[in-house]
């Protein structure tokens, strides 16, 4: 059993609690939880692959492109519980996938669409693996403020794309914003890994 998941997900074992003992000894649950545990440990490597694909799809990032970034939200997540950090990683990955999965609007960007496809597959894999981890956590009773704030941020990015009619410059703004997200998410995953 991955020890951090055991302590983070399940209440402490009480003496003579046979139901808790059975759930801890369930082989399939253990395998799934350990897979998620190992995945958080590998997150940095896979995230580096995603950053490379993002760079390769269009080369160097133009320096004159600026994009609003929710730095204060990431500062808040840096101090959050590990469960919230992992949920935030999944949520943000899914928003990035949703934003970037628009090849029909990328003609003006002149990007390598094969690299875009590999990039999205990479993010989907990360999201899928981390969702196994999230599935083990107790569901929060209400939406956390970070869920609302990150959704609002990505909605703004989509509006920029539409307003700029999916221009090459708008896509470069998006690519730069996605890079910033992936870099900060890597820091969060690394900190979460150390805390568990």
């Amino acid at each position: 059993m991955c020890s951090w998941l055991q302590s983070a997900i399940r209440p402490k074992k009480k003496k003579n609690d046979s139901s808790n003992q059975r759930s801890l000894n369930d082989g399939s649950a253990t395998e799934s939880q350990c897979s998620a545990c190992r995945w958080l440990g590998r997150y940095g490597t896979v995230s580096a692959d995603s950053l490379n694909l993002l760079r390769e799809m269009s080369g160097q990032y133009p320096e004159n492109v600026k994009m609003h970034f929710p730095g204060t939200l990431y500062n808040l997540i840096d101090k959050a519980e590990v469960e919230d950090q992992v949920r935030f990683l999944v949520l943000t990955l899914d928003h990035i996938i949703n934003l970037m999965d628009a090849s029909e609007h990328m003609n003006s960007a002149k990007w390598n669409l094969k690299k875009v496809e590999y990039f999205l597959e990479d993010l989907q894999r990360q999201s899928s693996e981390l969702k196994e981890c999230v599935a083990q956590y107790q569901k929060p009773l209400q939406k956390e403020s970070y869920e609302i704030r990150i959704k609002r941020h990505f909605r703004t990015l989509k509006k920029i794309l539409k307003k700029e009619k999916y221009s090459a410059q708008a896509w470069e703004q998006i690519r730069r914003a996605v890079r910033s997200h992936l870099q900060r998410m890597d820091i969060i995953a690394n900190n979460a890994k150390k805390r568990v």
Side-chain angles (χ1 to χ4, degrees), residues 29-121:
T30 300
E31 187 175 315
S32 172
Q33 291 166 352
C34 286
S35 170
C37 176
R38 283 192 303 272
W39 183 257
L40 191 59
R42 292 194 316 261
Y43 184 87
T45 304
V46 180
S47 176
D49 291 342
S50 299
L51 282 164
N52 285 335
L53 286 166
L54 187 66
R55 183 182 46 76
E56 290 169 6
M57 70 177 64
S58 183
Q60 292 299 319
Y61 296 90
E63 292 304 317
N64 60 343
V65 175
K66 300 238 187 275
M67 174 57 67
H68 170 71
F69 185 76
T72 54
L73 176 57
Y74 275 89
N75 293 338
L76 176 74
I77 293 297
D78 281 338
K79 299 175 185 125
E81 295 293 324
V82 171
E83 290 179 9
D84 286 319
Q85 289 177 330
V86 176
R87 279 191 189 101
F88 179 80
L89 291 174
V90 170
L91 191 63
T92 307
L93 283 166
D94 288 346
H95 280 300
I96 293 170
I97 292 164
N98 190 17
L99 181 67
M100 297 288 290
D101 192 12
S103 58
E104 70 275 11
H105 296 297
M106 289 183 179
N107 294 338
S108 63
K110 307 280 189 258
W111 287 354
N112 180 332
L113 294 181
K114 206 62 173 160
K115 297 285 183 184
V116 174
E117 183 184 328
Y118 295 151
F119 173 73
L120 290 171
E121 286 172 4

